[in-house]
């Protein structure tokens, strides 16, 4: 029947889409972790307050306010807020964690969660200052206690 044929045609395409979105989300977390490390090393201010500090400046040279460290990752994103955005059907959320004695942000976590679980992707991802990307297939944000990728 035509319905059965459509199911067999659509299901593999959905799996491929899930896989591509999930691969992108994990890669995005690795890129953001690297950018956070570079920011901390370059500016000596600890990690950023939000994603906006990693973005390119509207004009002028990169600075601690807009370090220009992740140009391509931030292209074509939607629902942009200083600490979150949506791209490739994943919502990425940044949270600074803790401050050292000098007031520098000493930790962070970034979570990538599919906008619609099982439609955009089946796994959520997590990374913190350690650089270990973690994941879960449960319908919730990944966290530090989840298994490494």
């Amino acid at each position: 029947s035509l319905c059965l044929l459509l199911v067999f045609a659509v299901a593999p395409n959905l799996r491929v889409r899930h896989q591509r979105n999930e691969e992108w989300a994990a890669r995005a977390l690795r890129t953001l972790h690297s950018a956070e490390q570079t920011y901390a090393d370059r500016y000596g201010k600890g990690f950023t307050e939000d994603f906006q500090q990693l973005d390119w400046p509207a004009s002028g040279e990169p600075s601690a306010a807009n370090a220009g460290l992740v140009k391509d990752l931030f292209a074509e994103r939607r629902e942009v807020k200083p600490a979150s955005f949506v791209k490739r059907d994943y919502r990425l959320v940044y949270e600074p964690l803790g401050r050292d004695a000098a007031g520098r942000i000493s930790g962070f976590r970034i979570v990538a969660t599919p906008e619609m679980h099982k439609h955009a992707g089946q796994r959520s991802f997590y990374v913190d200052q350690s650089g270990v990307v973690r994941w879960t297939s449960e319908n919730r944000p990944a966290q530090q206690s989840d298994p490494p990728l």
Side-chain angles (χ1 to χ4, degrees):
S1 113
L2 183 59
C3 289
L4 191 56
L5 184 61
L6 283 173
V7 166
F8 284 111
V10 171
N13 288 336
L14 191 57
R15 277 194 301 274
V16 167
R17 181 177 172 196
H18 286 174
Q19 183 178 5
R20 286 184 182 151
N21 286 350
E22 290 174 358
E23 288 170 357
W24 176 87
R27 209 170 36 253
L29 291 190
R30 288 186 183 102
T31 298
L32 289 165
H33 173 267
S34 177
E36 284 291 336
Q37 289 297 140
T38 300
Y39 181 93
D41 293 343
R42 184 175 295 167
Y43 296 106
K45 296 176 173 265
F47 299 112
T48 64
E49 294 280 347
D50 54 42
F51 287 139
Q52 191 169 342
Q53 289 181 278
L54 298 175
D55 206 353
W56 282 86
S59 63
E61 294 295 314
S63 67
N66 293 106
L69 295 171
V70 284
K71 183 177 184 176
D72 293 338
L73 178 63
F74 287 167
E76 300 175 18
R77 57 194 168 149
R78 12 181 217 104
E79 298 182 34
V80 178
K81 297 179 180 153
S84 69
F85 67 92
V86 175
K87 185 171 179 179
R88 303 247 345 224
D89 296 326
Y90 266 79
R91 176 171 302 280
L92 281 75
V93 178
Y94 175 84
E95 183 180 0
L97 301 172
R99 294 192 182 267
D100 65 16
R104 296 178 296 238
I105 296 171
S106 57
F108 67 87
R109 72 174 146 234
I110 305 170
V111 178
T113 308
E115 282 285 271
M116 294 189 333
H117 187 69
K118 300 221 185 255
H119 176 71
Q122 295 187 5
R123 296 189 293 172
S124 294
F125 301 93
Y126 166 101
V127 73
D128 59 21
Q129 66 279 355
S130 72
V132 177
V133 176
R134 299 177 178 281
W135 67 279
T136 182
S137 58
E138 295 177 24
N139 186 9
R140 63 169 174 79
Q143 55 196 16
Q144 189 177 22
S145 59
D146 288 323
L149 190 59

